[in-house]
Amino acid sequence: MSKSKSGKIKQNKASISRQEILNVAAKMMRDVGYSHMSLRDLAQKVDMKAGSLYYHFSSKDALVGEVMRVGVDIVSSAVIEELQTLPTETASHDRVLAAMHIHLRTLLSASDFSSAHIRCYPFVPEAVRQDLLDHRRSYDRIWTDLLTSHIRASNHKLTNEEQQAKVRHLRHAILGALNWSLEWFDEDRDDIQAYVASLEPLLGSR
Amino acid sequence: MSKSKSGKIKQNKASISRQEILNVAAKMMRDVGYSHMSLRDLAQKVDMKAGSLYYHFSSKDALVGEVMRVGVDIVSSAVIEELQTLPTETASHDRVLAAMHIHLRTLLSASDFSSAHIRCYPFVPEAVRQDLLDHRRSYDRIWTDLLTSHIRASNHKLTNEEQQAKVRHLRHAILGALNWSLEWFDEDRDDIQAYVASLEPLLGSR
DNA sequence: GTCTATAGCAAGATAGAC
DNA sequence: GTCTATCTTGCTATAGAC
């Protein structure tokens, strides 16, 4: 096992190689996509031969699945932690803004894994998508809860159905506008804070 | 030549096959991506053998490039036509809403080509992306002009630089929220008009 | 743990028959 | 215009040496 019961990573030889493989694979998936990432190229970049990868992963899809699982978990954890640091009395409007900010920052600066997940998800085999369902749903849940609180706080006259539709649309609009930034954001020119501010009107008047 | 000087398509045998190949290729690119779409599979779906495709296209990338070029042109033309039908006195706010609506409708109901373009663009070879630059820029230009008018109409105190940054962010936010719909929109459950309405706050007070 | 070597298959592309 | 046949290359994956 490469992890102890407490979850701490033992830095033995295997886990170091394994982690390096994952790091490079994430970058390649982000850049060239699922199908075009070959195990030969990947192995070369980590100074190995292709066959050696199978000591660490049982198949290409197992490796790809792990990259994508880490990708969603990184953003998920970052958002959860950020929300926990906010004072309990923080208005839901501000909680949503904080979540948007940390989602975007994690995506853009901290994680090839997350961008690999977002870009490759439509094209990986169905079996890989199935294995990701739980992790994706649990991240969706964070946003659904966050936005439900927000909608409730600012609008008391909706039926349950109307409320759910509104939350759903708002969630997709926000995550769409944020995730799409992978295709254009340039950290030298663009400012995360400014972009999030431009999305704030979606949340309605404060 | 498969087209006359006027641009009308002659329905000879070659152009029919060619069009059918493009239609099926668009659907495959949308579903499985650039790398995973094989010419053998494509040929089978149009009742041909792989080699025969080379009578119509000089390479896989030439075919892929044409699918994507058509994809952006379809949306571009649809938006241009829609804007022309609007009364000249139409407020820029409403012109933007109309453009959002037709962009989304074209993307979701009318064009495997456009969704193939959006999904595959990050992963096609650099040479293919280069060939698409002009067409993509000319579509971007439509939105930049549209949103510049809108920002000017609703805010007179910005410097040129601030205005351009605002337009740029707004454009990416809108197109991100619209294009991302490929990943979740279900025409049986979701309503285009309702989703566009939920994005309207991005445009500020009327 | 990583290597060499290779099996087994599928890809893009081409030549020439029809 | 389309087919058959094939070349060349590249892929995932496995077996067994070290």
Side-chain angles (χ1 to χ4, degrees):
Chain A
M1 304 293 277
S2 61
K3 292 186 183 182
S4 67
K5 280 186 186 173
S6 68
K8 270 194 201 151
I9 295 167
K10 290 182 188 168
Q11 292 294 345
N12 54 24
K13 196 172 179 187
S15 77
I16 292 174
S17 296
R18 186 184 158 86
Q19 189 57 50
E20 179 64 6
I21 292 167
L22 288 168
N23 290 341
V24 173
K27 183 158 179 38
M28 291 181 72
M29 287 171 62
R30 180 207 158 110
D31 290 342
V32 303
Y34 164 78
S35 299
H36 198 66
M37 176 191 73
S38 82
L39 300 186
R40 278 172 162 82
D41 286 351
L42 168 56
Q44 196 184 14
K45 286 190 212 290
V46 296
D47 292 311
M48 280 187 181
K49 301 297 174 178
S52 309
L53 298 173
Y54 286 82
Y55 175 81
H56 301 280
F57 301 93
S58 64
S59 69
K60 179 181 181 178
D61 284 356
L63 164 58
V64 163
E66 177 139 352
V67 167
M68 295 178 74
R69 187 189 56 68
V70 170
V72 59
D73 287 352
I74 286 176
V75 177
S76 197
S77 306
V79 170
I80 288 173
E81 279 183 36
E82 173 73 12
L83 291 175
Q84 280 173 345
T85 69
L86 297 177
T88 43
E89 71 271 21
T90 306
S92 62
H93 185 109
D94 293 315
R95 295 175 69 83
V96 175
L97 281 181
M100 288 169 64
H101 188 272
I102 191 74
H103 175 107
L104 191 56
R105 185 151 57 86
T106 307
L107 196 58
L108 291 171
S109 344
S111 177
D112 288 332
F113 291 84
S114 307
S115 31
H117 182 125
I118 289 171
R119 280 191 166 177
C120 294
Y121 186 76
F123 300 136
V124 296
E126 179 59 27
V128 176
R129 281 207 294 272
Q130 277 298 328
D131 286 347
L132 291 167
L133 262 188
D134 286 350
H135 292 261
R136 287 172 62 93
R137 271 210 263 262
S138 102
Y139 186 53
D140 278 354
R141 182 60 184 272
I142 296 172
W143 281 94
T144 298
D145 290 349
L146 210 50
L147 293 172
T148 300
S149 299
H150 171 70
I151 296 286
R152 277 218 189 93
S154 61
N155 198 322
H156 304 274
K157 294 181 183 175
L158 298 176
T159 66
N160 263 1
E161 233 172 52
E162 289 168 333
Q163 191 185 89
Q164 280 167 22
K166 236 182 150 71
V167 164
R168 189 174 139 75
H169 278 171
L170 191 50
R171 175 166 61 85
H172 286 307
I174 289 173
L175 291 177
L178 293 178
N179 290 344
W180 192 252
S181 67
L182 285 179
E183 309 306 325
W184 60 269
F185 205 93
D186 174 351
E187 298 213 60
D188 292 336
R189 176 180 51 180
D190 298 304
D191 178 56
I192 290 180
Q193 192 73 53
Y195 184 58
V196 168
S198 77
L199 301 181
E200 184 173 0
L202 286 173
L203 304 180
S205 57
R206 189 182 285 270
Chain B
M1 302 295 277
S2 60
K3 291 184 185 184
S4 67
K5 279 186 184 171
S6 68
K8 271 194 201 149
I9 295 167
K10 289 182 190 167
Q11 291 294 346
N12 54 25
K13 197 171 177 187
S15 77
I16 293 175
S17 296
R18 187 185 157 86
Q19 190 57 50
E20 179 63 7
I21 292 167
L22 288 169
N23 291 341
V24 174
K27 182 157 180 37
M28 290 181 72
M29 286 171 63
R30 180 206 157 106
D31 290 342
V32 304
Y34 164 78
S35 299
H36 199 65
M37 176 189 73
S38 83
L39 299 186
R40 282 175 162 81
D41 286 352
L42 168 56
Q44 197 184 10
K45 285 189 213 289
V46 296
D47 292 313
M48 280 187 180
K49 300 296 173 180
S52 310
L53 297 173
Y54 286 83
Y55 174 80
H56 301 280
F57 302 92
S58 64
S59 69
K60 178 181 182 178
D61 283 355
L63 164 57
V64 162
E66 178 140 350
V67 166
M68 295 178 74
R69 189 189 53 68
V70 171
V72 60
D73 287 352
I74 285 177
V75 176
S76 199
S77 306
V79 170
I80 288 173
E81 279 184 36
E82 173 74 11
L83 291 176
Q84 281 173 345
T85 70
L86 297 177
T88 44
E89 72 270 20
T90 306
S92 62
H93 186 108
D94 293 314
R95 295 175 68 81
V96 176
L97 281 181
M100 288 168 63
H101 188 272
I102 191 74
H103 176 106
L104 191 56
R105 185 149 59 84
T106 307
L107 196 59
L108 292 171
S109 345
S111 177
D112 289 331
F113 291 84
S114 306
S115 31
H117 181 126
I118 290 172
R119 280 193 167 174
C120 293
Y121 186 77
F123 299 136
V124 296
E126 179 59 26
V128 176
R129 282 206 294 271
Q130 279 297 326
D131 287 345
L132 291 168
L133 261 189
D134 286 348
H135 291 260
R136 287 171 62 93
R137 271 208 263 260
S138 101
Y139 187 54
D140 278 354
R141 184 58 184 274
I142 297 171
W143 280 95
T144 298
D145 291 348
L146 209 51
L147 293 173
T148 300
S149 299
H150 171 71
I151 295 286
R152 277 218 190 92
S154 61
N155 198 323
H156 304 274
K157 295 180 179 174
L158 298 176
T159 68
N160 265 1
E161 233 173 52
E162 289 166 333
Q163 191 185 88
Q164 280 167 23
K166 235 182 151 69
V167 164
R168 188 175 140 75
H169 278 172
L170 191 50
R171 175 166 61 86
H172 286 306
I174 289 173
L175 291 177
L178 293 179
N179 290 343
W180 192 251
S181 67
L182 285 180
E183 310 305 326
W184 59 270
F185 205 93
D186 174 352
E187 298 213 57
D188 292 335
R189 177 181 51 182
D190 297 305
D191 177 57
I192 290 180
Q193 193 71 55
Y195 185 58
V196 169
S198 78
L199 301 181
E200 185 172 0
L202 286 173
L203 303 180
S205 59
R206 191 181 284 272

